[in-house]
Every structure is written in C-alpha cells, then in structure tokens.
Amino acid sequence: MAMGEQLLYRKRGIRLTNQQLEIRGGGVYPLSAIQGVAVREEQPNRRGPLLCMVIGLFPPAFPALIVGLIWLVRQKPGYWLSLTTEYGTIEPFGSNRSQPVRELQAILATTLEQRQLPLGKGRLDRLRTQLLDLAQQQGGEVSVTQGVMATGHSFEEVKQVLDEMLQSNYVQLDNHWETGVLIYRFPELLSRPAPTSDRPLTPPTPSAEQVRRQLLAAAQQQGGLLSVTQGVLATGQSFEVVQTVLESMAASGYVSLDRDWRAGVITYRFPELDTADDRFMDRSMDRSMDSPDLDPPAASSLQAKRQLQHWVKVLAQDVRELWRSVSGPS
C-alpha cells in the first residue's frame, strides 16, 4: 500500500482506498477520475418464459408450461455499479443481489463527497502534518507531485497547503538543480535525516565539495589526467554536473585543459598528480630492459634512450608551461 493510502472497503474481490477503486477482473480506477457513482437495476427478459408457457397450453406440449413457470420464477433482476468519468459511463461490477452493489455505492459516494469538499480545519491540519513528515523523510525538499502521491489529496489541495506554508516564511520555493521542477524547501529540515529507515523517494543530492573530492581521487588513479566521461563513471553524476565542477577547478588555476595525444579527447590535467607520461614510459622501458635477448651494449643503449626521453619530457613540460603563461588560459 502506498504512503498515505487508507483502506476503506475490502470484500468479494473489491478493494477501495482513499485513492483508488480496485475490482478483481474489472480493473483499477483512480478516485480522481471518477465524477459520480450510481446503481443501475436491469430487469430480466420475460419473453422466453412467457413463450414457453403459451406453448405449454396445448396438450401435447404441456411440459413446456412447467419449464416456463420454473424459468419465470428463477429470473432475478441484475444490479450494476455505474461509474461516471470524463470519458463516459462504465459498469465494472454487477450482481444478482442488490445489497453488495448498493453497499459499495454508498461507501464510494461518501468517499468522493469528502474528496470534493473544501479543506476544513481538521483535514487542513492533517494534510499539513503529512507534508511535514514527507519533507523530513525527503531531506527537507518536497514537490507537489510527491505530496499528492504521499497523501492521496488532489494537486490543488496539496499546492494550497504548501503555498500557505510558503507565505509564513518557513518554507522557500526553489527549482531542482537537475530537473528544474519546482520544489518547496524546508530550511529547518535540510540537515535532519529521516527518523525512520524508509527509503527516501529521491536520492540525496551530493554537494559540489563531495563531487570535487571524488574527481580528485579519480584523477589520482588516472595519473593526473581526467576526462568528463571518466568523471561521470567515477562519481555517478550527470555530464553537466561533472563538467561544471571541472570547469570551476580549471578556473582556479590548479587544473588545466589538455588534449589526450592518443585518443584526441579533451582532458583536464592535474599537474600535482601528473604521472601518466612517466608511468607509460616506465612500463615500455621496463619491458624492454627485462627482455632476456638483450646483450649488455644493447641494455646500455636503452638506458641512455630512457634518460634522453626523460629529459625531453621535462623540456616539453617546461615549454608547455611557458606557452600557457604567455598565451593565458584557454
């Protein structure tokens, strides 16, 4: 059962709550879509029994008279639950007994009438309490749709109560940073976790500082070079969030933009963590040095080549830093 849903009736495969009507074999009908309810009585067709009785009046067909009488006595009217919606009238439930149909019709009519009544003080207080409980479970943020799902009230009623709390200056109106949906923020509940172990409807939004730490850890693992896609894989955040955080770090001067010479993609270089080129060169040179087919002169040649590549890398790094200082940030 959904949050805020209350069971009102449950008999003969029929389940009625304050949010929906569920009939086994007949479907599920939200109460918000039902405009009216009534009982339609259907009289049986008497033509068949009367015809048998007329035929039985003749002596050779006398048994047909008895059949017609039995058939007529056993015929009973049918009773159907008639629901009026904006798309027309439907009859999802029927019975030969009027009592179960009229009982369901009475309960359903009372429920619909209560939903259509304006919010009284008692219902207003209960709805306000339900929305505050939901805000505490949500980490201090609630949207109108979440309020409708949790309380079973209409969109208009939930928005009315949230707007009243907004006017009291204890609630703030904001947009969700990722979806842009209007949310009502409760500052006094932002830092208070939910008291129960129920799973929140939406996962908590990580702060920019948390994303920044995750990106630094990922950059350290990648040898000082990090692309936006690698940042998304490491943090689980969207491309827009990762790119925004990386650009803010680049603007601070501690991170620079670069292009991966192998893949050609734009990467963010962390100079203090830059070990990618060293590790690549060390792995290639170590494999060559460990080869059993090398004689001592060849090993010395490789060692000299390794030192030369190291100094070329240092010179290239100095030239690159000098060019950045002259041309300014890209």
Side-chain angles (χ1 to χ4, degrees):
M1 187 177 295
M3 183 184 302
E5 190 174 8
Q6 300 176 2
L7 183 63
L8 305 177
Y9 180 88
R10 187 171 187 176
K11 290 182 181 179
R12 307 175 187 88
I14 301 173
R15 182 173 174 270
L16 174 64
T17 69
N18 61 336
Q19 297 184 10
Q20 64 183 14
L21 171 65
E22 181 179 351
I23 300 177
R24 185 167 54 194
V28 179
Y29 306 92
L31 298 189
S32 57
I34 301 176
Q35 300 176 352
V37 58
V39 176
R40 184 179 67 86
E41 183 177 352
E42 183 180 20
Q43 294 297 331
N45 189 356
R46 308 288 188 181
R47 183 176 302 179
L50 292 176
L51 181 60
C52 287
M53 293 172 62
V54 171
I55 295 175
L57 293 177
F58 300 94
F62 183 75
L65 179 61
I66 300 176
V67 173
L69 287 173
I70 297 175
W71 188 357
L72 183 63
V73 171
R74 297 191 63 177
Q75 278 190 324
K76 296 180 180 180
Y79 301 89
W80 292 91
L81 182 70
S82 180
L83 303 179
T84 303
T85 67
E86 58 180 339
Y87 303 105
T89 302
I90 55 177
E91 296 178 341
F93 174 68
S95 174
N96 290 329
R97 299 171 54 217
S98 64
Q99 188 270 337
V101 181
R102 296 190 183 279
E103 180 184 10
L104 177 59
Q105 183 265 343
I107 298 177
L108 184 56
T110 302
T111 305
L112 292 177
E113 184 179 358
Q114 291 177 353
R115 289 175 59 90
Q116 295 172 358
L117 288 176
L119 284 175
K121 187 178 185 305
R123 296 183 65 224
L124 182 64
D125 294 340
R126 286 195 299 270
L127 179 55
R128 186 183 297 110
T129 302
Q130 291 175 335
L131 292 174
L132 288 173
D133 291 339
L134 177 63
Q136 191 173 30
Q137 296 177 7
Q138 291 286 95
E141 296 180 351
V142 173
S143 68
V144 176
T145 302
Q146 291 171 342
V148 172
M149 294 175 60
T151 63
H153 287 263
S154 64
F155 283 88
E156 293 77 11
E157 293 175 342
V158 172
K159 190 175 186 304
Q160 173 187 343
V161 175
L162 288 174
D163 287 341
E164 290 178 358
M165 290 191 287
L166 179 64
Q167 295 176 0
S168 67
N169 296 327
Y170 287 98
V171 182
Q172 301 171 355
L173 193 62
D174 200 357
N175 291 92
H176 193 276
W177 67 277
E178 187 174 18
T179 63
V181 176
L182 283 176
I183 57 175
Y184 293 81
R185 192 184 305 275
F186 295 76
E188 298 181 7
L189 302 178
L190 287 177
S191 59
R192 298 183 182 180
T196 62
S197 60
D198 295 339
R199 184 179 179 180
L201 299 180
T202 57
T205 303
S207 63
E209 182 63 29
Q210 292 175 335
V211 177
R212 188 179 296 111
R213 292 178 181 177
Q214 293 174 347
L215 291 175
L216 287 173
Q220 188 174 25
Q221 295 178 357
Q222 297 292 336
L225 290 177
L226 190 68
S227 67
V228 176
T229 303
Q230 291 171 336
V232 171
L233 294 174
T235 63
Q237 301 301 314
S238 64
F239 283 87
E240 292 77 8
V241 173
V242 172
Q243 185 173 2
T244 301
V245 175
L246 286 174
E247 288 177 352
S248 66
M249 298 170 69
S252 65
Y254 291 96
V255 182
S256 59
L257 282 175
D258 202 351
R259 185 179 295 274
D260 193 330
W261 63 273
R262 286 168 291 184
V265 299
I266 297 296
T267 58
Y268 291 82
R269 180 179 295 273
F270 297 74
E272 299 180 9
L273 306 176
D274 193 356
T275 60
D277 292 339
D278 289 341
R279 290 193 302 174
F280 176 76
M281 183 178 66
D282 291 343
R283 284 198 299 268
S284 60
M285 295 301 297
D286 289 342
R287 285 196 296 268
S288 301
M289 294 291 294
D290 294 339
S291 176
D293 298 332
L294 292 178
D295 52 2
S300 300
S301 176
L302 282 176
Q303 182 67 26
K305 183 178 179 181
R306 181 175 182 177
Q307 294 178 356
L308 178 61
Q309 289 179 347
H310 173 71
W311 288 111
V312 168
K313 174 189 175 295
V314 172
L315 180 61
Q317 181 71 20
D318 293 340
V319 172
R320 183 164 48 197
E321 295 296 334
L322 178 61
W323 171 256
R324 288 173 181 163
S325 63
V326 173
S327 60
S330 56

